[in-house]
Amino acid sequence: MTETLSTEAPEKKLLMQALKGKFTSQVPFWLMRQAGRYLPEYRELRRKAGSFLDLCFDPDMAAEITLQPINRFDMDAAILFSDILVVPYALGQNLDFVEGEGPRLGAFQTIQSFGEIDFDVFNKKLQPVYETINLVKKNLAPEKTFIGFAGGPWTVACYMVQGRGDEEFINTKKFAFSHPEEFDHLIETLVMATSNYLLEQIKIGVDAVQIFDSWAGLLPELYFDRWVIKPTKKIVNNIHKIYPGFPIIGFPRRAGFLYSQYAERSGVRCVGLDQYLSLGQAIRTFGSKVTLQGNLDPVLLLAGGKALEIETRRILETAGAANFIFNLGHGIIKETPPEHVFQLANILKEYQR
Ligand code: CP3
């Protein structure tokens, strides 16, 4: 293994260098939800496709959407265009995206019904996503990083149990706290499904993967360990058994003080920070163990102008020489003017540390 490493060609992808813990004089960047509704070229394809799910499962259109933001703003990474909810869909739960309202999932029957995963059926349903990865690979410039992704088991379970989006997921939490063993079983099913799904993405050729645990911050410490850190660690181990050292980014949004435990124990190589965390404090407490990513409030990108410039420069100055990837603290807001993304990209490209 050490031999293969020593004969490896020097890393040409800027963002991969940061993921491998190397210092980069330019700070690499990409933006969560960089492909999506704020782009007129996305909205046009979306109209043609009909439903959002049809778009996710059309490899030609999904590949084109993956590349749209790179063609416009030249980010250092492309993120696969898909959704975290294709996993429950492939496990057999009905899924619909209602115009203007968000996802609706079919009745959450019994968790036991998800107990045995038929991986042939699962991967057949996800075949269009794998085809999208193939197409993007062929068309992405070699200096760009290609990021695959999945939702964290806890966050995906939130939608599976609640049946729709929410801010608090009280029904899910009540169910989980009242039936912890049954809930463990669901989380375990999602660990296996997610590991398999990410391993397929890696096999086809993504350079890194991100685990989106957007609702991690809803859990108290004890359960955060049980349903966020431990399941993430299992996924990381399953991936590293087959691809040792493969770069994995974890995003336990709104985890506050629990972020440092996640950084220390989940096994991820890079941690995505939301905008509610102090970047300086994050660097001091766990910035030497992992690469850090994120932190810009998406509303500042929506606002643009002086406020965006001041905060972007503050983040860059605070990051200093730390291992850092610039990103938002959460996804781009759909009303964001594309010119503000240009403004941000220009600041980042001109900045040398
Ligand atoms: O980042 C990217 O550009 C890649 C594509 C991507 C999407 N969703 C496309 C999408 C990624 C990485 C996601 C992740 C995702 N999906 C998360 C985790 C990140 C986060 O935002 O917290 C979650 C929780 C979901 C589930 C989801 N998908 C919801 C709740 C919704 C509805 C709310 C909304 O923003 O519309 C979606 C729909 C969705 N996923 C859209 C896009 C572009 C909008 C669909 C449309 O065109 O109408």
Side-chain angles (χ1 to χ4, degrees):
M1 201 56 228
T2 6
E3 262 178 25
T4 3
L5 278 179
S6 60
T7 55
E8 235 173 50
E11 180 58 68
K12 286 205 187 72
K13 300 173 196 280
L14 184 71
L15 197 136
M16 287 302 283
Q17 290 174 13
L19 278 181
K20 289 177 177 176
K22 300 202 178 80
F23 174 83
T24 60
S25 54
Q26 204 175 329
V27 177
F29 84 107
W30 66 283
L31 304 172
M32 288 188 280
R33 291 284 185 102
Q34 63 188 20
R37 287 164 299 187
Y38 75 106
L39 287 178
E41 58 268 37
Y42 168 82
R43 294 196 298 268
E44 197 187 318
L45 280 186
R46 174 81 167 75
R47 266 194 304 275
K48 278 190 201 156
S51 82
F52 172 67
L53 210 53
D54 288 339
L55 196 55
C56 288
F57 288 140
D58 182 312
D60 290 316
M61 286 202 261
E64 191 179 333
I65 293 169
T66 302
L67 296 168
Q68 281 175 349
I70 318 301
N71 295 337
R72 243 196 210 244
F73 310 109
D74 198 34
M75 286 98 172
D76 296 296
I79 180 160
L80 168 69
F81 181 78
S82 181
D83 197 85
I84 64 166
L85 300 178
V86 299
V87 166
Y89 171 81
L91 287 173
Q93 195 170 14
N94 276 337
L95 173 65
D96 212 358
F97 283 86
V98 181
E99 207 54 60
E101 288 191 44
R104 292 289 180 277
L105 290 93
F108 181 72
Q109 305 98 354
T110 64
I111 286 164
Q112 280 74 10
S113 69
F114 293 106
E116 292 295 316
I117 306 170
D118 184 333
F119 281 110
D120 288 337
V121 174
F122 180 78
N123 281 315
K124 211 173 191 159
K125 285 195 172 168
L126 293 169
Q127 196 53 46
V129 179
Y130 304 143
E131 187 50 38
T132 303
I133 297 175
N134 262 318
L135 289 176
V136 172
K137 278 289 282 179
K138 284 187 198 138
N139 292 292
L140 188 65
E143 71 274 15
K144 303 294 180 196
T145 297
F146 187 14
I147 302 173
F149 74 92
W154 160 250
T155 292
V156 173
C158 278
Y159 289 93
M160 289 178 80
V161 176
Q162 195 90 13
R164 54 185 298 165
D166 199 78
E167 287 297 310
E168 297 284 341
F169 287 98
I170 288 172
N171 293 348
T172 305
K173 287 171 69 176
K174 182 175 172 233
F175 177 84
F177 296 155
S178 319
H179 310 278
E181 279 82 25
E182 267 181 81
F183 198 73
D184 280 340
H185 186 73
L186 172 61
I187 293 287
E188 194 52 42
T189 303
L190 288 169
V191 164
M192 291 186 298
T194 307
S195 301
N196 179 279
Y197 181 46
L198 290 175
L199 280 167
E200 285 295 317
Q201 295 184 28
I202 296 166
K203 190 170 85 190
I204 301 164
V206 298
D207 301 305
V209 292
Q210 174 154 323
I211 299 171
F212 285 86
D213 230 337
S214 305
W215 300 107
L218 295 179
L219 287 173
E221 188 166 8
L222 188 67
Y223 295 98
F224 181 83
D225 183 67
R226 181 165 172 173
W227 292 325
V228 174
I229 296 183
K230 288 206 171 92
T232 302
K233 176 78 187 156
K234 283 185 189 166
I235 295 170
V236 169
N237 286 348
N238 287 339
I239 292 173
H240 285 171
K241 251 183 267 162
I242 301 177
Y243 300 98
F246 189 87
I248 302 170
I249 308 165
F251 177 49
R253 194 172 73 96
R254 299 205 79 159
F257 282 115
L258 301 178
Y259 253 105
S260 61
Q261 297 182 31
Y262 182 94
E264 267 155 43
R265 301 209 309 273
S266 69
V268 301
R269 179 69 201 67
C270 172
V271 172
L273 309 174
D274 59 44
Q275 66 271 32
Y276 307 105
L277 222 64
S278 152
L279 177 60
Q281 212 171 326
I283 291 170
R284 286 191 295 278
T285 46
F286 51 91
S288 58
K289 296 189 189 78
V290 290
T291 300
L292 301 180
Q293 167 181 283
N295 202 230
L296 180 76
D297 189 330
V299 181
L300 281 157
L301 189 60
L302 175 69
K306 203 75 203 145
L308 173 61
E309 183 174 352
I310 290 169
E311 177 65 356
T312 301
R313 293 197 188 283
R314 186 200 66 83
I315 289 175
L316 291 169
E317 296 295 323
T318 307
N323 242 247
F324 186 65
I325 296 169
F326 195 98
N327 203 322
L328 301 174
H330 198 196
I332 296 188
I333 296 164
K334 69 172 189 293
E335 289 80 12
T336 303
E339 307 80 72
H340 295 182
V341 181
F342 267 122
Q343 185 197 346
L344 174 64
N346 286 335
I347 299 172
L348 295 170
K349 280 171 193 298
E350 280 165 16
Y351 189 85
Q352 294 285 327
R353 47 181 186 173

